Amino acid sequence: MVVKNVVVIGAGGHGRAVAEIILQDPDMNLIGFLDDSVPKFSEVLGVTVLGSISSLEGLAQKVDGIIVAIGNNKVRSSLIKQAEALGMQLVTVIHPQAMVSPSARIGEGAAVMAGAIIGTEATLGKGAIVNSAAVVDHHCVVGAFGHLGTNACMAGGSQLGDRSWIQAGVSLGYNVFVGEEEVLMPGESRTTKT
């Protein structure tokens, strides 16, 4: 078994939750964070902040993979593209208490958090986030860099466009389509196709 040395980009709330998943995985070794708002050499969850995000290029040959753990979809998309241009491998994290169908397809750099459910033949795009207790039901599609907030729900066959965000508690009805770069607010539901 080869242990991957991993860096997390982002040491905020989502970055820390992602880091905890990595710390529980015997196949991964979290070597540090990169973050522009946390001082270099600070410790977060007992792990060192290696520097700002501009340090990424210097780490390209020293790590096996990175995960961008920043909730903002556009920022996450941009940083993943930057890392890929440097030839860096994207790491996908799935919390051990998430339920993921064996027929689901999970994109590189995605994060599936505690209590999330990914259903039969569902698809998560590159860099997608499915937060705690969120549901992506059977045959749903979450586009690249899409983001489900905590307790959000996508009913069977619904689709979330690239870089779109359905915030906490939002629900999509069966076969509903949400376009690219949309934001649905807490408590909002969409039950008809658009």
Side-chain angles (χ1 to χ4, degrees), residues 141-159:
V141 176
V142 177
F145 316 109
H147 186 168
L148 277 75
T150 57
N151 211 30
C153 177
M154 294 176 67
S158 60
Q159 297 181 36

Side-chain angles (χ1 to χ4, degrees), residues 71-112:
N72 183 296
N73 295 341
K74 289 182 182 180
V75 172
R76 190 168 67 261
S77 170
S78 175
L79 290 172
I80 285 177
K81 289 175 184 173
Q82 181 182 339
E84 288 181 314
L86 294 169
M88 300 182 88
Q89 178 69 40
L90 300 179
V91 172
T92 299
V93 297
I94 300 173
H95 194 282
Q97 293 179 351
M99 296 173 59
V100 178
S101 166
S103 63
R105 293 175 297 282
I106 312 296
E108 293 180 314
V112 180

Side-chain angles (χ1 to χ4, degrees), residues 14-38:
H14 181 60
R16 292 169 195 226
V18 165
E20 284 190 337
I21 296 171
I22 294 169
L23 291 168
Q24 294 178 63
D25 189 332
D27 295 335
M28 289 196 245
N29 176 37
L30 179 56
I31 63 169
F33 292 92
L34 295 180
D35 195 294
D36 290 344
S37 61
V38 180

